[in-house]
């Protein structure tokens, strides 16, 4: 086994074009531009609503002032705006659970808005901000609590209208009910999307574990069947007074197969526990195991500036290298192997090639998932896998963003 590590990028790495990393950057920039556009639209609408409301306060009865009933109206407006702005600012993140302060400020703003609706003779303009706070509250509460908050708001509007105004405003109550239904439906949709993502992640974990179980089965089936072949040959040589050196060579090969099978099994079990080692180190170990189990060399070449990879990218590289070398042992016995790991600017490329089979193939039970599993793993992290003939041998090339 030979391991070559060069710090600068190799010439072969420079020839790689069409990096998917550039596309990923463009795809990330477009949603950011859309978010900025929508933020600007909402900011303009909010500014228009606030300005229109403040200008309408001149016609309110009582009007905001620094004394008397006007002072109470002024304070209620300040509380309504400050609580709503503070809640929206604190709740702008994407935490799975809302901050307690948000759940206090939003009802406080709604209460101030309803109080203004009760004490002023405007046409319910302050209720607009109550509806904004209600929508924000519905987006953060469990559905049943959101429904309860909506019903309480509608009941408060009807009761205040009957007691302190000219009667309940049925149109305003209907608008509140419609907004509540929309908010609850939106919340339910978000919850269903989150549940779908959790289910998809759980299915991916189960699928990966099933793949690893198949690989462990294949590893054991291959190593044990090959050991039996070598041990049976050694037994026949010894029983017929054959060459003891040949018999010893058979026993040593069986021992190496048992050792490599045990190491691969340990590595597969480590993957089940979520342990992702450094790809360069694992590839070097895989190459050494390949040489010990087959008696054929496996050259390893690492180019580019090595760096720590994201867990999913590192796992994809390790598992693809392991599967590709396992396939060489299974389907191309007697072949030499070569592994090239290239650290590029925004991606990592793994290439595994072999020189073609020179010995009969030892059949083993258990098909595994081979190229299909490697391709699925690459696509899960926006990578690509290409395979095909390489002269008399075979070539597997993996690219993943990193």
């Amino acid at each position: 086994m030979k391991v070559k590590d060069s710090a600068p990028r190799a010439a072969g790495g420079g020839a790689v074009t069409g990096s998917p990393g550039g596309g990923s950057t463009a795809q990330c920039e477009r949603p950011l531009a859309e978010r900025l556009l929508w933020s600007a639209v909402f900011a303009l609408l909010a500014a228009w609503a606030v300005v229109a409301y403040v200008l309408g306060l001149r016609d309110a009865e009582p009007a905001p002032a620094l004394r008397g009933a006007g002072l109470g109206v002024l304070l209620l407006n300040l509380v309504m705006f400050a609580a709503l702005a503070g809640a929206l600012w604190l709740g702008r993140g994407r935490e799975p659970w809302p901050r307690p302060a948000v759940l206090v400020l939003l009802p406080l703003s709604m209460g101030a808005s309803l109080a203004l609706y009760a004490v002023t003779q405007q046409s319910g303009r302050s209720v607009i901000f109550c509806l904004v706070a209600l929508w924000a509250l519905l987006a953060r509460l469990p559905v049943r609590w959101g429904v309860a908050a909506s019903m309480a708001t509608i009941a408060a509007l009807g009761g205040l209208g009957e007691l302190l105004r000219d009667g309940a405003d049925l149109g305003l109550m209907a608008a509140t009910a419609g907004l509540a239904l929309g908010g609850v439906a939106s919340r339910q949709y978000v919850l269903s999307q989150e549940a779908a993502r959790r289910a998809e992640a759980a299915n991916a974990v189960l699928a990966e574990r099933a793949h690893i179980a198949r690989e462990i089965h294949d590893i054991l089936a291959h190593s044990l069947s090959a050991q039996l072949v070598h041990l049976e040959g050694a037994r026949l040589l010894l029983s017929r007074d054959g060459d003891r050196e040949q018999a010893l060579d058979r026993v040593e090969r069986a021992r190496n197969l048992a050792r490599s099978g045990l190491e691969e099994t340990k590595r597969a079990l480590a993957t089940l526990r979520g342990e992702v080692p450094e790809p360069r180190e694992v590839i070097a170990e895989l190459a050494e195991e390949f040489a010990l189990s087959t008696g054929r060399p496996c050259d390893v070449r690492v180019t580019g500036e090595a760096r720590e990879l994201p867990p999913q990218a590192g796992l994809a590289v390790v598992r693809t290298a392991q599967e590709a070398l396992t396939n060489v042992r299974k389907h191309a016995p007697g072949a030499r192997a070569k592994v090239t790991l290239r650290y590029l600017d925004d991606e990592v490329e793994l290439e595994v090639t072999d020189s073609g089979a020179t010995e009969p193939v030892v059949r083993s039970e258990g098909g595994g998932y081979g190229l299909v599993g490697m391709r699925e793993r690459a696509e899960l992290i926006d990578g690509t896998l290409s395979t095909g003939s390489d002269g008399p041998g075979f070539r597997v090339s993996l690219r993943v963003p990193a």
Side-chain angles (χ1 to χ4, degrees):
M1 178 200 69
K2 300 178 181 178
V3 180
K4 302 177 182 179
D5 194 344
S6 56
R9 181 186 298 183
V16 178
T17 59
S19 168
S24 298
T25 302
Q27 292 174 356
C28 291
E29 289 176 354
R30 186 171 60 182
L32 177 60
E34 291 179 359
R35 288 197 299 271
L36 292 176
L37 176 61
W38 281 110
S39 298
V41 171
F42 287 137
L44 289 175
L45 291 176
W48 172 81
V50 171
V51 170
Y53 176 78
V54 171
L55 293 177
L57 287 177
R58 294 177 300 179
D59 301 328
E61 181 61 36
L66 296 178
R67 62 181 180 274
L71 179 60
V73 173
L74 177 62
L75 292 177
L76 285 174
N77 278 282
L78 292 176
V79 170
M80 180 183 68
F81 284 117
L84 181 58
L88 296 179
W89 175 261
L90 292 175
R92 69 189 185 282
R94 294 186 177 182
E95 294 86 355
W97 296 101
R99 298 179 180 180
V102 175
L103 298 182
V104 173
L105 292 175
L106 287 174
L108 179 61
S109 177
M110 293 172 62
S113 173
L114 292 173
L116 286 170
Y117 174 72
V119 301
T120 61
Q121 297 303 314
Q122 288 179 282
S123 58
R125 289 175 181 170
S126 64
V127 179
I128 295 175
F129 301 98
C130 177
L131 298 182
V132 172
L134 177 61
W135 180 274
L137 196 62
L138 292 174
R140 290 163 173 80
L141 287 177
V143 173
R144 64 176 182 273
W145 291 106
V147 172
S150 302
M151 294 178 63
T153 303
I154 295 172
L157 286 173
L160 292 173
E162 289 290 344
L163 294 174
L164 302 175
R165 298 174 69 90
D166 298 331
D169 190 335
L170 297 181
L172 189 58
M173 294 172 66
T176 304
L179 180 136
L181 289 175
V184 170
S186 176
R187 177 61 172 168
Q188 191 67 34
Y189 174 76
V190 171
L191 292 176
S192 65
Q193 290 292 100
E194 292 176 355
R197 283 194 291 269
R198 287 194 298 268
E200 185 178 353
N203 289 335
V205 171
L206 292 176
E208 178 68 14
R209 289 182 175 178
H211 292 164
I212 294 173
R214 294 192 198 104
E215 289 185 1
I216 293 175
H217 175 274
D218 292 348
I219 290 168
L220 296 177
H222 168 71
S223 61
L224 291 177
S225 61
Q227 289 175 59
L228 288 175
V229 171
H230 289 304
L231 292 174
E232 180 64 17
R235 188 188 67 82
L236 292 175
L237 287 172
L238 293 174
S239 64
R240 298 175 184 176
D241 295 330
D243 190 345
R244 291 184 176 274
E245 291 185 359
Q246 291 184 11
L248 180 61
D249 178 67
R250 295 270 186 170
V251 173
E252 288 180 349
R253 287 193 180 188
R255 182 195 63 182
N256 292 335
L257 283 169
R259 179 182 298 170
S260 63
L262 179 61
E263 291 298 325
E264 290 185 25
T265 303
K266 288 181 178 178
R267 189 175 298 112
L269 293 175
T271 303
L272 280 175
R273 294 191 296 267
E275 301 172 1
V276 184
E278 174 64 32
R280 291 184 304 167
E281 299 175 1
V282 177
I283 290 174
E285 293 175 2
L286 291 173
E288 185 176 356
E289 292 171 9
F290 180 90
L292 289 174
S293 61
T294 64
R296 302 288 181 174
C298 178
D299 295 336
V300 177
R301 181 177 178 83
V302 180
T303 65
E305 184 177 353
R307 60 184 180 275
E308 184 177 356
L309 302 181
Q312 292 297 328
L315 179 60
V317 171
V318 168
R319 307 281 301 180
T320 301
Q322 181 180 3
E323 180 70 22
L325 290 177
T326 300
N327 286 344
V328 173
R329 283 200 299 267
K330 286 183 180 179
H331 307 299
R336 298 163 59 96
K338 181 179 179 181
V339 181
T340 303
L341 180 63
R342 301 185 181 96
Y343 289 89
L344 306 178
D345 289 339
D346 49 12
E347 64 182 354
V348 172
E349 181 181 15
L350 173 74
E351 184 180 74
V352 181
T353 58
D354 66 79
S355 59
T358 59
E359 299 175 4
V361 177
V362 178
R363 298 292 180 183
S364 62
E365 297 181 358
Y369 68 99
L371 299 178
V372 175
M374 288 189 282
R375 182 169 287 107
E376 290 176 350
R377 183 180 291 112
E379 291 174 352
L380 283 175
I381 56 174
D382 297 328
T384 58
L385 182 82
S386 59
T387 60
S389 300
D390 185 40
F394 198 76
R395 174 179 174 272
V396 175
S397 178
L398 170 73
R399 283 189 181 183
V400 294

